[in-house]
Amino acid sequence: FSVAPHVPVFVDKNLASNISGIELALRLHREGFKSVYLTTGDEIEETEELSFLAGIQGKAFPKTLN
């Protein structure tokens, strides 16, 4: 199946098997997804290297999207 690139995608920072959620989010962004959010329970600052993200969210599902 396919997902349209305008659909918001939420990626957990810490995935199974030591896969980096940040790397997966960057890959999705490079493939054309524009609303990629990183979800985490960790304290994390938005930096220049994470500027491709639409945002960083806590673990609770957001009530609104940017």
Side-chain angles (χ1 to χ4, degrees), residues 40-54:
T40 183
D42 300 337
E43 289 287 325
I44 189 167
E45 292 184 32
E46 292 191 46
T47 64
E48 183 66 32
E49 78 178 33
L50 298 178
S51 63
F52 65 91
L53 293 171

Side-chain angles (χ1 to χ4, degrees), residues 9-13 15 19-31 33 36 38 52-53:
V9 178
F10 293 81
V11 180
D12 193 89
K13 180 177 173 266
L15 301 173
I19 297 171
S20 167
I22 295 172
E23 290 177 17
L24 177 58
L26 179 58
R27 180 177 171 190
L28 290 169
H29 175 75
R30 287 180 176 159
E31 290 181 9
F33 288 88
V36 181
L38 187 69
F52 65 91
L53 293 171

